[in-house]
């Protein structure tokens, strides 16, 4: 998404359509009867002819304007120096590569997932797939702001060629994501998850040589049940759900993070600079993050 926005913004700012094509008033279709009298030396019996003159309508004007914009975009790209073309292509490729790498690592590794439990060895889902740890809302928020700020920075470098485009608000957004992730990790270390504790106790009991073999089937069934309660179901479910189901504080945090992130990118593309967010916008994100951490202290991960 961020790569497409960057390409769209670059195209918008590279277009230099002629002013008359952009500001011309709409043309209406008019049919004007024009009567042409016969020539003086025409044979007798020749009657006057009536012709209809039709002006171009809005569709034709729009088609002409589009053709002019396409031609001006191609002309603007051809007129760029080779070094600037290289920078533009390189910036887009870097953004696409980083975003693709982040998505690949997020799905193939545990980079954006909870830290516990350490393993689900021997347990599979109802469909036979290996279990994985649940996605973390805080880690996902941190990755989101990293990609948003990186996309805005590379886009501004693409269209302006300047490197000093970062703002204090952009650093605040990245710091907010990092701080939320650090706070969530500290909360996880200082609280007891009864489901996780029961799961670890069952694993220890199964590994104990003194455990009677007759108890292993019951312990295995208990282990599987607890593991499936701790494991990931899907990304949206993981980041919005706690022990009580879909929670309002998690939903609020996710919605505000997405909305302000998208608006941040749009403002960057339109004004060709990173926006100066007002304190209230940052305050909304801060309140959402604080509420998430506050409710996380007593919650039990599902």
């Amino acid at each position: 998404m961020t790569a497409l926005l960057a390409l769209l913004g670059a195209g918008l700012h590279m277009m230099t359509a002629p002013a008359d094509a952009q500001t011309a008033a709409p043309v209406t279709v008019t049919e004007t009867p024009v009567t042409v009298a016969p020539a003086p030396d025409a044979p007798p019996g020749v009657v006057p002819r009536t012709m209809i003159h039709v002006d171009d309508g809005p569709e034709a004007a729009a088609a002409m304007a589009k053709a002019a914009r396409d031609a001006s975009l191609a002309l603007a790209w051809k007129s760029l120096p080779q070094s600037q073309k290289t920078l533009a292509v390189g910036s887009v490729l870097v953004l696409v590569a980083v975003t693709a790498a982040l998505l690949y690592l997020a799905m193939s590794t545990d980079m954006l997932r909870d830290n516990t439990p350490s393993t689900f060895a021997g347990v599979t889902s109802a469909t036979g797939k290996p279990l994985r740890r649940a996605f973390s809302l805080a880690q996902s928020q941190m990755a989101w702001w990293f990609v948003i700020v990186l996309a805005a920075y590379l886009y501004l470098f693409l269209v302006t060629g300047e490197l000093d485009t970062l703002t204090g608000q952009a650093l605040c957004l990245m710091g907010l994501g990092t701080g939320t992730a650090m706070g969530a990790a500290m909360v996880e270390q200082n609280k007891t998850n009864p489901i996780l504790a029961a799961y670890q106790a069952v694993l220890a009991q199964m590994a104990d040589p003194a455990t009677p073999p007759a108890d292993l089937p019951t312990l295995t069934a208990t282990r599987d049940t607890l593991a499936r309660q701790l494991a990931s179901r899907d990304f949206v479910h993981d980041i919005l759900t706690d022990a009580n189901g879909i929670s309002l504080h998690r939903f609020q945090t996710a919605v505000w993070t997405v909305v302000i992130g998208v608006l941040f990118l749009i403002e960057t593309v339109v004004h060709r600079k990173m926006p100066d967010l007002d304190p209230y916008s940052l305050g909304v994100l801060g309140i959402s993050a604080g509420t998430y951490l506050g409710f996380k202290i007593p919650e039990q991960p599902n």
Side-chain angles (χ1 to χ4, degrees), residues 38-119:
D41 56 349
V46 177
V47 298
R49 293 177 299 166
T50 301
M51 298 185 299
I52 303 296
H53 176 69
V54 180
D55 294 332
D56 292 336
E59 295 80 5
M64 293 178 61
K66 182 179 182 301
R69 287 195 298 268
D70 294 342
S72 62
L73 178 59
L75 183 61
W77 175 256
K78 291 180 180 179
S79 63
L80 287 177
Q82 185 60 40
S83 59
Q84 194 167 352
K85 290 182 181 179
T86 303
L87 290 177
V89 174
S91 299
V92 173
L93 290 179
V94 168
L95 178 59
V96 172
V98 171
T99 305
L102 180 63
L103 292 175
Y104 172 77
L105 293 175
M107 301 305 298
S108 62
T109 70
D110 294 334
M111 182 175 67
L112 299 183
R113 299 177 185 266
D114 292 332
N115 296 324
T116 54
S118 58
T119 180

Side-chain angles (χ1 to χ4, degrees), residues 1 11 30 41-42 46 59 97 102 110 129-130 132 148 165 181-182 190-192 201 205 245 268 278 280 292 296:
M1 179 191 70
T30 58
D41 56 349
V46 177
E59 295 80 5
L102 180 63
D110 294 334
K129 296 181 179 180
R132 301 185 65 184
I148 290 292
T165 54
M182 293 177 61
N190 294 324
K191 78 172 185 178
T192 301
Q205 190 173 357
T268 301
D278 60 276
Y280 298 104
Y292 162 71
K296 190 174 182 63

